[in-house]
Amino acid sequence: MEIIKKPVLTEKASLLTEKLNRYAFKVDHRANKIQIKQAVEQMFGVTVLAVNTMVVSGKAKSRYTKAGFVSGRTTKYKKAVITIKDGETIDFYSTI
């Protein structure tokens, strides 16, 4: 099971990184906090102080096309917000 799928690179996540030394990741929905902590420490070589998880629900999407009205949903996913030790950083662009 690949625990960490990809980092969440949004404006809100960037603010968390700059101000509070926190990083957001999309993770496997079956992973628990202990597994996420171990995976981040092993992959990036940092000290994890805290792990907060949440399940982001999918939202309804619709569009009008030539074939008619099409509606559906985006998939739900689990997001983990990782707090790391002061002075340590994670560089997404060179490690993933």
Side-chain angles (χ1 to χ4, degrees):
M1 170 170 68
E2 184 179 309
I3 294 174
I4 298 174
K5 292 185 178 179
K6 66 180 188 177
V8 176
L9 300 173
T10 60
E11 286 185 45
K12 193 171 186 178
S14 297
L15 286 174
L16 282 174
T17 300
E18 292 169 8
K19 295 181 188 276
L20 300 173
N21 212 23
R22 297 175 134 203
Y23 294 87
F25 296 95
K26 278 189 180 181
V27 296
D28 189 279
H29 67 92
R30 296 166 294 190
N32 60 32
K33 291 183 180 187
I34 297 166
Q35 293 170 329
I36 295 167
K37 179 180 178 178
Q38 291 170 348
V40 170
E41 287 178 341
Q42 180 185 7
M43 184 178 281
F44 299 107
V46 295
T47 306
V48 175
L49 300 178
V51 178
N52 299 93
T53 59
M54 61 202 83
V55 176
V56 179
S57 59
K59 59 182 182 178
K61 295 269 193 166
S62 61
R63 64 184 183 273
Y64 189 76
T65 64
K66 185 177 177 182
F69 188 75
V70 178
S71 63
R73 294 191 67 83
T74 59
T75 58
K76 69 177 185 174
Y77 62 94
K78 190 172 195 174
K79 181 165 72 171
V81 179
I82 313 296
T83 306
I84 62 172
K85 190 176 174 183
D86 285 338
E88 295 182 348
T89 59
I90 295 175
D91 185 16
F92 294 127
Y93 302 106
S94 67
T95 54
I96 292 182

